[in-house]
Amino acid sequence: MRTSTARRVGTALAAAAALTSLAACSGSDGSQGAAGSGKDQAGAVAGTSPVAALKQVRRTTGGAQSAKVDGTMDMGGVMSMKQSGVIGWADGLSGEMTITYTGGTMGEALKQSGGDGTVKARYFQDAYYANMGDGFASTTGGKPWIRYSYQDMAALGGASGDVMKDQLQNSSPEQGVKALLASGDVKKVGQEDVRGVSATRYSGTVDVAELTAKNSDLDAGQLAAFKEQLALAGVTTQTVDIWVDERDLLVKKAERGEMKTGTFTSTLFYSDYGTQVPRQKPPASDTVDFKELVKQGVTPGGAS
């Protein structure tokens, strides 16, 4: 397979990784306990305790089960992108996103290989599908879609692959709320306007490695390896800000952290909670499995 095709296969992996920004790091319920119900919940949200308020936000947002999402992400010189679509989390992850790379080495690789910088993605409990366009299809017998099994990605990606698999299969907007609850550093900033909606802003600092350890099903060896990779990349903590509307639903989330490749930033907006989620998988006749591409000499990093 041509090197340009290999680059595009590797680029699609970044689209899968980008979805973890929809969830942020998973937070732990830990000793937070469950807030009350009915009037007690309303009183907690209206009160001065950020922790009490966010417990209710977590439940309300998590119970909504689906939403429209759009936003941007930048990873230093590696990748900048924008994304929009619909995700659902009623029974594991589902949804459809359009991801456009606007810069960085990943975006350039995609464009140099004949693409327009855009990947259409569909997410399911067991796999992620990427439509790489007509240029890619011309090298795979007319098949524009690549199927990435989360299990295969985990096996190829080592500890970081296991973490991405864990987050992809459990992604939901409430995870950003959980991250703040587990941070021990959450504070209420005040009221701000988010696209014409009055929202309350909360902010905190999250220890990335610690939150992963608290909330994943990874074993001690996998966690140790992942923490080492974070340290090598220069990532230790990140700030998380969320904005919540009067219905206790998350309407915006922003993250910022430092990496060796530069500053990582992500901003996402959530709307239309309860919207219908596309659930149709691409036809098998239009799909090539990532494992088959690997057998042909293509690696996740884009080498052939």
Side-chain angles (χ1 to χ4, degrees):
M1 183 173 291
R2 296 180 306 173
T3 301
S4 60
T5 302
R7 286 174 180 164
R8 298 185 73 184
V9 173
T11 300
L13 283 173
L19 187 66
T20 62
S21 71
L22 298 175
C25 299
S26 299
S28 172
D29 293 342
S31 60
Q32 309 289 353
S37 59
K39 293 182 180 179
D40 290 338
Q41 288 183 352
V45 174
T48 58
S49 168
V51 170
L54 289 180
K55 286 178 182 177
Q56 175 60 21
V57 172
R58 184 194 67 206
R59 280 191 296 272
T60 305
T61 298
Q65 300 189 347
S66 67
K68 291 183 179 179
V69 185
D70 70 276
T72 60
M73 186 171 74
D74 187 278
M75 295 180 65
V78 176
M79 175 180 66
S80 59
M81 50 161 294
K82 58 183 180 180
Q83 55 188 332
S84 64
V86 177
I87 59 168
W89 53 92
D91 183 23
L93 177 68
S94 60
E96 185 173 77
M97 301 288 291
T98 297
I99 301 168
T100 300
Y101 294 89
T102 55
T105 54
M106 297 299 283
E108 288 303 311
L110 190 64
K111 291 179 180 179
Q112 288 176 8
S113 62
D116 63 359
T118 297
V119 173
K120 294 187 182 299
R122 294 182 188 175
Y123 302 94
F124 302 90
Q125 264 192 321
D126 60 341
Y128 151 78
Y129 291 75
N131 188 323
M132 305 300 289
D134 294 339
F136 176 81
S138 68
T139 69
T140 57
K143 299 180 178 181
W145 291 90
I146 305 176
R147 177 185 181 273
Y148 292 89
S149 160
Y150 297 144
Q151 192 62 47
D152 293 340
M153 291 166 66
L156 289 165
S160 61
D162 285 325
V163 170
M164 184 165 68
K165 173 180 177 289
D166 184 56
Q167 290 188 335
L168 281 167
Q169 290 182 310
N170 296 285
S171 290
S172 73
E174 67 168 319
Q175 302 291 28
V177 182
K178 287 184 178 181
L180 284 183
L181 283 171
S183 72
D185 184 46
V186 61
K187 51 185 168 292
K188 181 179 178 179
V189 177
Q191 294 295 121
E192 298 181 6
D193 181 88
V194 177
R195 295 182 170 180
V197 175
S198 179
T200 304
R201 179 180 178 182
Y202 298 90
S203 181
T205 300
V206 176
D207 186 311
V208 179
E210 276 301 309
L211 287 179
T212 302
K214 288 177 181 177
N215 302 287
S216 73
D217 293 325
L218 305 180
D219 61 35
Q222 292 169 327
L223 285 170
F226 179 64
K227 289 180 184 180
E228 182 179 357
Q229 289 182 12
L230 288 176
L232 291 173
V235 178
T236 55
T237 61
Q238 65 181 25
T239 59
V240 178
D241 289 76
I242 67 169
W243 288 257
V244 180
D245 70 10
E246 62 181 7
R247 300 172 299 165
D248 304 327
L249 291 171
L250 183 66
V251 293
K252 179 182 177 181
K253 176 171 67 70
E255 298 173 89
R256 180 182 178 88
E258 296 297 327
M259 305 173 63
K260 285 189 175 180
T261 55
T263 301
F264 164 82
T265 60
S266 171
T267 302
L268 291 166
F269 296 88
Y270 301 89
S271 63
D272 296 288
Y273 281 92
T275 191
Q276 186 172 355
V277 180
R279 299 181 185 277
Q280 185 174 1
K281 292 186 177 182
S285 58
D286 291 340
T287 304
V288 59
D289 197 276
F290 178 58
K291 284 197 306 184
E292 294 305 313
L293 296 178
V294 172
K295 290 178 181 179
Q296 296 174 31
V298 179
T299 67
S304 63

